[in-house]
Amino acid sequence: MRVLKFSCNLIFLLLCCATCASSAAHRFPGSVIQPEKISSSAVSKPENELYKTKYFTQILDHFNYNPQSYHKFQQRYLINDTYWGGAKKNAPIFVYTGNEGDIEWFTQNTGFMFDIAPQFKALLVFIEHRFYGKSIPYGGDKEVAYANSSTLGYLSSTQALADYATVIIDLKKNLTATDSPVVVFGGSYGGMLAAWFRLKYPHVAIGALASSAPILNFENITSPYSFYNIITKDFRSQSENCYQVIKGSWQKIEDTAKQHGGLDLLQKSFHICKNAIGANLLSNWLSTAFIYTGMTDYPIPSNFLNPMPAYPVKQMCKAIDNTEHGNDTFAKLYAAANIYYNYTGHAKCFDLDDHSDPHGLDEWSWQACTEMVMPTDGSNEESMFPVSEPSYSDWAESCHDYYNVWPRPNWITTEFGGHDIKNVLKRFGSNIIFFNGLRDPWSGGGVLEDISKSIIAIVAKEGAHHVDLRYATKEDPEWLKDTRSREIRIISQWLFQHYTSLLHLSR
């Protein structure tokens, strides 16, 4: 089959949509397409009872002393003190290092911290990443903040980490909790930030749980083919026929689109809304479903991205293998796509041209075009996706055309490391848990082996994207229960060491 290039909207991977910043600019969970046409009553309401919303007056630029560096903005953080043991008892503070989106969304999907707070008598704090959610500089005016590279230049991982350090230090001071130990938590990009925070600010946090954090997905440390290969393995492990149907579908879609009446057939077969249809749009829409389902192949029902059943990859393959569809490839694919896009049954049709951003993730394209250069767009002959060779130069040109900046692909490894990480972190790192589930395509860039006695890799063969951070349920498999129990034991050891050192200092 000849090479078939996908266009703008392929999830996470194909960020370009409005910016057309190319298929190499990657996004963490959050659909670019909001496909379902559902009633307002079906939309879940924010769980405000979980936290109180507060704001911190944050400085715009931590690293320069120009007049504009001193501009301020309101940075949002969420706090829950229900179980906190208090400053007098030096009770711990658990901090979530916010991702590239609305902090409420991530808070509501990080149940692990709420589950363990009573046990540790911990204060919970979730800090929103600058330029996302409601933490927008320039008076909260997104049109100004997102206007061009001169304003977006203050959106970076290093500035975000400095934000978190500033908020934590100020919060501890206000609470008279100087000796309360801080443990940082994060998943995905937030997991990367948690790990880097521990390395850069060891005086602020005593340890970090970095879940599904692909800190090695830079500068060819990780193969650019690993992402698609892991998703392919997920589907192929369920059914060889499922794999073959998906693999052969892309050319069939393209060929059908070229035929007289082909686009009408595709529109009817996949229940596409009337406003837009095309081979690339449809292929992107299907790929989004397969990739996000592979990432969130949780062992229990979930509602992180869209409502989905337990083991959704298995359910997709069951739909494709269903003999009722005969040899109708499009009927098989449509049934599979419904597992991701319409499990609730609310959708009337699917809008392929909807670029809404319900979780406020769009500015990841700026980060991907500057420092977060994470090549995962390679797809080889064995992949169930169309063959595609990574093209850094094309993507870099697109970034320059749109933002008038060139990516810095070597900056993350310069700032945080990555090469020869096992030997490097042995020399100065400590107290980090790296969790990775091998069904998660981002695990290809994760730390999968212990680095030292205190930098631990927990690897779950059946695990998906930061599944360990989700709320515990009665349906959780034993391996997931064991994973969380191990994380709790390790965090307990960190806290014991902290309190022991305080005791010695007080004598």
Side-chain angles (χ1 to χ4, degrees):
M1 183 174 76
R2 68 180 179 82
V3 174
L4 175 63
K5 293 288 186 181
F6 284 151
S7 65
C8 287
N9 287 327
L10 185 56
I11 85 168
F12 214 161
L13 309 167
L14 309 180
L15 258 192
C16 27
C17 97
T19 67
C20 285
S22 136
S23 63
H26 305 50
R27 178 196 293 275
F28 287 98
S31 181
V32 177
I33 301 172
Q34 184 70 13
E36 294 193 29
K37 299 296 185 182
I38 62 177
S39 65
S40 58
S41 62
V43 179
S44 60
K45 297 180 180 180
E47 300 178 27
N48 289 325
E49 65 274 12
L50 286 176
Y51 43 76
K52 299 173 184 175
T53 301
K54 295 185 178 295
Y55 288 87
F56 176 79
T57 301
Q58 187 63 265
I59 193 169
L60 180 63
D61 182 4
H62 295 281
F63 305 110
N64 293 288
Y65 298 90
N66 301 316
Q68 63 268 30
S69 299
Y70 291 88
H71 290 179
K72 303 293 180 62
F73 70 96
Q74 296 303 302
Q75 183 166 22
R76 181 169 58 159
Y77 66 95
L78 312 177
I79 191 166
N80 182 308
D81 60 1
T82 304
Y83 302 104
W84 192 39
K88 291 183 179 180
K89 295 183 178 180
N90 296 326
I93 301 172
F94 291 169
V95 176
Y96 187 90
T97 50
N99 301 52
E100 72 295 8
D102 190 300
I103 191 61
E104 290 193 272
W105 180 47
F106 292 107
T107 302
Q108 293 166 16
N109 283 279
T110 311
F112 178 67
M113 291 175 64
F114 290 94
D115 287 341
I116 66 175
Q119 175 180 345
F120 289 101
K121 293 182 171 51
L123 175 70
L124 302 182
V125 182
F126 300 80
I127 310 176
E128 190 162 62
H129 196 297
R130 57 168 53 203
F131 282 83
Y132 293 103
K134 294 184 178 179
S135 300
I136 310 298
Y138 302 99
D141 189 334
K142 290 185 177 181
E143 289 190 9
V144 175
Y146 300 166
N148 52 51
S149 56
S150 67
T151 53
L152 281 169
Y154 298 104
L155 169 54
S156 70
S157 60
T158 50
Q159 294 280 8
L161 293 175
D163 287 342
Y164 300 154
T166 304
V167 172
I168 293 168
I169 291 170
D170 185 80
L171 180 64
K172 290 182 69 176
K173 179 180 178 181
N174 291 336
L175 294 172
T176 319
T178 305
D179 291 330
S180 288
V182 172
V183 178
V184 290
F185 297 72
S188 200
Y189 172 52
M192 298 162 75
L193 293 173
W196 293 335
F197 190 88
R198 169 60 186 163
L199 297 176
K200 290 291 184 179
Y201 296 93
H203 57 292
V204 179
I206 68 165
L209 171 53
S211 181
S212 298
I215 63 169
L216 304 181
N217 238 126
F218 297 91
E219 210 178 342
N220 296 319
I221 298 173
T222 300
S223 167
Y225 298 97
S226 67
F227 190 93
Y228 281 129
N229 285 344
I230 292 172
I231 297 170
T232 297
K233 184 180 178 181
D234 292 347
F235 279 83
R236 200 169 190 177
S237 68
Q238 297 298 330
S239 163
E240 179 68 20
N241 176 67
C242 178
Y243 159 74
Q244 293 292 349
V245 168
I246 296 172
K247 183 177 177 64
S249 66
W250 315 113
Q251 191 65 55
K252 188 175 182 65
I253 289 171
E254 186 178 23
D255 292 343
T256 301
K258 292 178 180 177
Q259 297 171 5
H260 178 70
L263 290 178
D264 290 337
L265 175 61
L266 292 174
Q267 191 162 40
K268 182 178 180 181
S269 297
F270 290 95
H271 294 230
I272 305 303
C273 302
K274 296 294 184 182
N275 61 324
I277 183 66
N280 281 341
L281 282 173
L282 180 59
S283 293
N284 293 347
W285 180 76
L286 287 170
S287 297
T288 298
F290 296 141
I291 294 170
Y292 274 145
T293 300
M295 276 174 49
T296 56
D297 191 32
Y298 298 137
I300 56 174
S302 68
N303 191 24
F304 180 36
L305 303 178
N306 280 334
M308 285 193 290
Y311 300 106
V313 170
K314 179 186 292 186
Q315 297 305 316
M316 274 194 169
C317 283
K318 279 186 178 180
I320 287 174
D321 292 342
N322 191 334
T323 56
E324 292 181 5
H325 301 308
N327 295 321
D328 189 341
T329 296
F330 296 157
K332 295 174 184 287
L333 294 174
Y334 173 70
N338 267 271
I339 301 297
Y340 177 73
Y341 285 120
N342 192 26
Y343 189 64
T344 62
H346 289 108
K348 304 303 180 184
C349 66
F350 300 105
D351 185 356
L352 304 187
D353 199 34
D354 184 348
H355 304 313
S356 60
D357 182 24
H359 302 299
L361 307 167
D362 270 352
E363 295 319 301
W364 180 257
S365 56
W366 164 262
Q367 292 191 258
C369 273
T370 50
E371 59 175 358
M372 304 301 293
V373 182
M374 305 172 71
T376 61
D377 56 330
S379 184
N380 57 26
E381 291 289 345
E382 286 300 305
S383 171
M384 71 183 199
F385 298 96
V387 174
S388 177
E389 294 298 324
S391 178
Y392 170 78
S393 59
D394 289 347
W395 169 69
E397 287 283 355
S398 298
C399 288
H400 184 260
D401 289 346
Y402 191 79
Y403 289 114
N404 196 32
V405 296
W406 292 103
R408 298 180 185 175
N410 305 326
W411 174 242
I412 289 295
T413 55
T414 301
E415 176 70 6
F416 301 114
H419 296 287
D420 195 22
I421 192 170
K422 192 165 187 178
N423 288 325
V424 171
L425 289 192
K426 273 183 181 178
R427 295 197 292 267
F428 77 95
S430 65
N431 291 8
I432 303 174
I433 302 168
F434 289 103
F435 169 82
N436 280 281
L438 296 185
R439 297 190 73 82
D440 175 16
W442 291 101
S443 66
V447 176
L448 304 180
E449 295 181 355
D450 290 353
I451 290 176
S452 67
K453 289 183 179 180
S454 68
I455 303 181
I456 308 299
I458 299 178
V459 179
K461 182 180 178 182
E462 299 301 318
H465 204 53
H466 51 65
V467 64
D468 59 322
L469 293 184
R470 299 188 62 75
Y471 279 103
T473 73
K474 294 180 181 179
E475 292 75 32
D476 288 337
E478 286 303 315
W479 65 260
L480 182 53
K481 295 177 182 178
D482 292 343
T483 293
R484 292 183 178 129
S485 294
R486 188 179 177 195
E487 291 172 347
I488 290 170
R489 288 196 301 272
I490 295 170
I491 293 170
S492 298
Q493 291 169 5
W494 297 343
L495 293 172
F496 176 77
Q497 292 166 2
H498 172 79
Y499 292 130
T500 300
S501 66
L502 282 182
L503 186 61
H504 288 318
L505 288 172
S506 65
R507 290 176 178 175

